[in-house]
Amino acid sequence: MTNLPVARTATEHDLPALRTLARAALVHDGDADDVLDLLWAQTADRPQLRILAEADGEPVGVALAALRPATASTPGIGHIDLLAVRPEAQSRGIGRALMTRAEELLTAAGAERLMIRGRPPYYAWPGIDIRYTRAVCLAESSGYTRGPEGLNMSVDLRTAPLDTADDEARLAAAGVRVRRLEPADEKPFLAWMRQWGGSWDGEAARALTYDPPRGHVAVREGTDGPVFVGFACHGVNRRTWFGPMGTDSSERGLGVGTVLLRRCLADQRASGLDEAEIGWTAPIHFYARGVDARLGRVFWTYSKDV
């Protein structure tokens, strides 16, 4: 590589080379292809935010960014979702050039604030894994301010306690049935998810696109049909990751969440995985107690005004 890198808009034809690049650069992410494909799909409405750096005609770096347009109550927010440079091409200013170009495009599109952190509707990761030291240094030297950290937990699927038979029988006696999410559930389930007021309905909808669906639900029988009281999904963002999940406040304390969690992890184990990752973990004790999960990855989030 002798020529200076040239940045251009990446196209669908570049995807095979970009997957190879992602695998080489994202050494702490065994499912780097999933990361790239997930974030690529989220830029479909603004393909100009897919930025490729080339040297001597070969891809050496990529940046994927996205814009959340301003609303009546929030400013336009630009997200730097992915920035990866081939290991042999690092320390040559390629990452900084990609960052600068992404920021320019986002600002021109209306971003008033820039962020490096997970975003809806599908979360690839909470922020920057602190083991990617060069990425951390680039963010901090580019004027970003560190924000809250995100913690991931890992589960050894070979040894985790995943049996649910006794707990499911106990819940059934209490009027709660736990089962796999079904295609016929789509309309009432997504309507229920939207009532939560968050962004989980997008991820839950994605669970229904797989056969079988990558999710489980807890239901009570109502006069007009099943009433959803809990859900959990896996592999909707990255095949190795668990989440999201949630239980209606009226049902907490019964063990519904633990059953849903274990059923999802059992699916992942059956698919051939030895380890699952729980992204952006909040209730650490719940996961540690329920499936022997252990704290693993630490992510730092970043933001700056423009």
Side-chain angles (χ1 to χ4, degrees), residues 3-260:
N3 295 332
L4 292 175
V6 175
R8 65 170 174 84
T9 299
T11 70
E12 299 283 343
H13 297 293
D14 297 309
L15 273 174
L18 292 180
R19 293 188 184 104
T20 300
L21 188 158
R23 288 193 295 271
L26 302 178
V27 295
H28 301 299
D29 293 273
D31 56 348
D33 286 10
D34 284 8
V35 177
L36 180 74
D37 290 345
L38 177 69
L39 296 174
W40 181 274
Q42 291 193 70
T43 59
D45 60 333
R46 294 179 185 270
Q48 71 274 19
L49 296 178
R50 301 165 173 169
I51 310 163
L52 173 66
E54 288 182 316
D56 296 330
E58 295 293 327
V60 293
V62 62
L64 299 178
L67 177 72
R68 294 174 66 185
T71 67
S73 58
T74 61
I77 299 176
H79 287 263
I80 309 293
D81 285 335
L82 172 68
L83 200 158
V85 178
R86 293 191 65 88
E88 67 272 18
Q90 293 176 7
S91 299
R92 296 176 52 202
I94 296 171
R96 188 170 299 280
L98 287 167
M99 174 82 82
T100 298
R101 182 57 180 155
E103 291 177 343
E104 291 172 349
L105 290 170
L106 288 169
T107 302
E112 300 175 53
R113 187 170 180 79
L114 301 174
M115 305 192 77
I116 305 174
R117 61 173 292 161
R119 68 178 181 87
Y122 311 127
Y123 294 89
W125 37 33
I128 300 176
D129 183 324
I130 62 173
R131 294 173 297 176
Y132 291 118
T133 306
R134 285 190 173 94
V136 169
C137 292
L138 175 60
E140 297 195 350
S141 65
S142 298
Y144 286 82
T145 299
R146 190 188 308 170
E149 67 181 18
L151 302 175
N152 280 17
M153 300 184 79
S154 60
V155 182
D156 187 337
L157 298 177
R158 297 165 297 184
T159 60
L162 302 183
D163 181 71
T164 60
D166 290 344
D167 285 327
E168 287 190 48
R170 175 179 55 78
L171 289 173
V176 178
R177 182 163 64 99
V178 182
R179 59 170 174 80
R180 183 177 297 279
L181 187 63
E182 300 171 355
D185 293 323
E186 181 174 9
K187 187 174 180 179
F189 174 65
L190 294 182
W192 176 70
M193 288 296 304
R194 284 189 286 272
Q195 293 176 6
W196 285 52
S199 60
W200 286 346
D201 58 313
E203 294 174 278
R206 192 175 172 90
L208 285 160
T209 65
Y210 296 94
D211 183 16
R214 293 181 178 178
H216 295 264
V217 292
V219 299
R220 285 189 180 275
E221 292 303 320
T223 55
D224 297 320
V227 177
F228 297 99
V229 296
F231 82 102
C233 304
H234 66 88
V236 295
N237 297 330
R238 300 167 60 168
R239 58 188 171 81
T240 60
W241 287 36
F242 166 83
M245 74 169 296
T247 303
D248 191 277
S249 59
S250 64
E251 307 295 332
R252 291 174 187 167
L254 296 179
V256 172
T258 300
V259 171
L260 291 167

Side-chain angles (χ1 to χ4, degrees), residues 283-301:
I284 294 171
H285 295 291
F286 166 75
Y287 292 108
R289 182 178 63 250
V291 292
D292 292 337
R294 297 291 182 267
L295 284 168
R297 303 174 72 177
V298 177
F299 297 81
W300 286 346
T301 63

